[in-house]
């Protein structure tokens, strides 16, 4: 396999993330890559179940895109682009500001980026209503911001490396997913189970993630920063890395009035004492 496109993207990611204040990338020795499986019909990639960054262990668990019944990826170029997207995405999770407290001998995360949680369990923002076309959940916004940036890096790397969109439907869908170029025709409404086989289930997971995370984040940017989406996106990621919302809040307040950040995201139960259910 020619791994040059991955290293080209890695170089671009280092420079871009340094601009956002991230001085250290996720060490490659802390990335566990599953490239082969003995499970019949196994299909890997960014949307594989349980793939992602583990904050307590400080490592990323990633699977190679495509059928996992052979040592070499079936489609090397798509596999490398998917790997770059996953690594660039998890680098931002790794570099996000975190704070922990000790609760009865157990480490409890009370801050992740610009998202907060009380040691008693209350989260800063509530889950979005089922079927809502927008988001007011700061976790969804942060996830969308990380993936928008990771897919931008992958898209630009594919262009520089001369990697073209495949002609077949499945390959085209995977290419557009990793590069952030999915169209409305590619993302159909959630129909639940996509059919038998892990490859079909993977497509269903891809479409749900695109609809519930990336599309909702795009709507959020258009709501709060029409014509200035890239500026707000950069401010968000800078705040996620530093854990400091002051610059972001000042920018939002200047356009939407005082207290915009809290007004958009803070749940009414965030300051409510937790009930003692043990009594």
């Amino acid at each position: 396999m020619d791994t040059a496109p991955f290293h080209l993207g890695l170089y671009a990611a280092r420079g871009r993330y340094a601009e956002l204040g991230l001085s250290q990338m996720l060490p490659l020795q802390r990335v566990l890559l599953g490239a082969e499986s003995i499970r019949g019909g196994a299909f890997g990639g960014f949307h594989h179940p349980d793939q992602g960054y583990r904050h307590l262990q400080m490592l990323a668990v990633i699977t190679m895109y495509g059928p996992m019944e052979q040592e070499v990826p079936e489609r090397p170029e798509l596999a490398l682009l998917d790997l770059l997207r996953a690594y660039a995405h998890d680098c931002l999770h790794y570099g996000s500001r975190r704070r922990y407290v000790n609760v009865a001998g157990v480490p409890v995360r009370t801050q992740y980026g610009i998202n907060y949680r009380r040691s008693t369990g209350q989260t800063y923002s509530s889950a979005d209503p089922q079927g809502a076309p927008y988001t007011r959940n700061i976790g969804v916004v942060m996830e969308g911001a990380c993936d928008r940036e990771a897919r931008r890096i992958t898209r630009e790397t594919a262009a520089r490396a001369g990697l073209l969109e495949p002609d077949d439907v499945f390959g085209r869908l995977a290419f557009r997913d990793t590069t952030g170029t999915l169209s409305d025709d590619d993302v159909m409404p959630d129909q639940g189970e996509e059919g038998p086989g892990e490859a079909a289930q993977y497509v269903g997971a891809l479409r749900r993630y695109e609809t519930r995370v990336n599309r909702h984040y795009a709507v959020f940017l258009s709501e709060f920063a029409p014509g200035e989406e890239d500026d707000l996106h950069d401010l968000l990621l800078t705040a996620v890395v530093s854990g400091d919302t002051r610059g972001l809040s000042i920018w939002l307040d200047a356009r939407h009035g005082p207290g915009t950040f809290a007004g958009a995201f803070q749940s009414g139960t965030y300051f409510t004492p937790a009930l003692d259910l043990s009594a």
Side-chain angles (χ1 to χ4, degrees), residues 188-245:
M188 299 186 300
D190 182 9
Q191 299 296 326
E193 178 62 56
E194 294 287 325
E198 287 195 26
Q201 294 169 18
Y202 184 89
V203 171
L206 180 159
R207 285 171 169 151
R208 286 189 291 275
Y209 186 87
E210 176 67 14
T211 300
R212 299 174 184 178
V213 176
N214 286 315
R215 294 299 173 97
H216 282 185
Y217 180 59
V219 169
F220 167 78
L221 291 178
S222 67
E223 284 181 310
F224 286 87
E228 299 178 288
E229 290 90 347
D230 288 343
D231 293 339
L232 178 54
H233 172 71
D234 288 355
L235 281 168
L236 273 164
L237 286 179
T238 300
V240 166
V241 171
S242 68
D244 187 346
T245 62

Side-chain angles (χ1 to χ4, degrees), residues 41 49 59 84 102 144 218 266:
L59 57 82
L84 175 60
N102 187 321
Q266 186 174 297

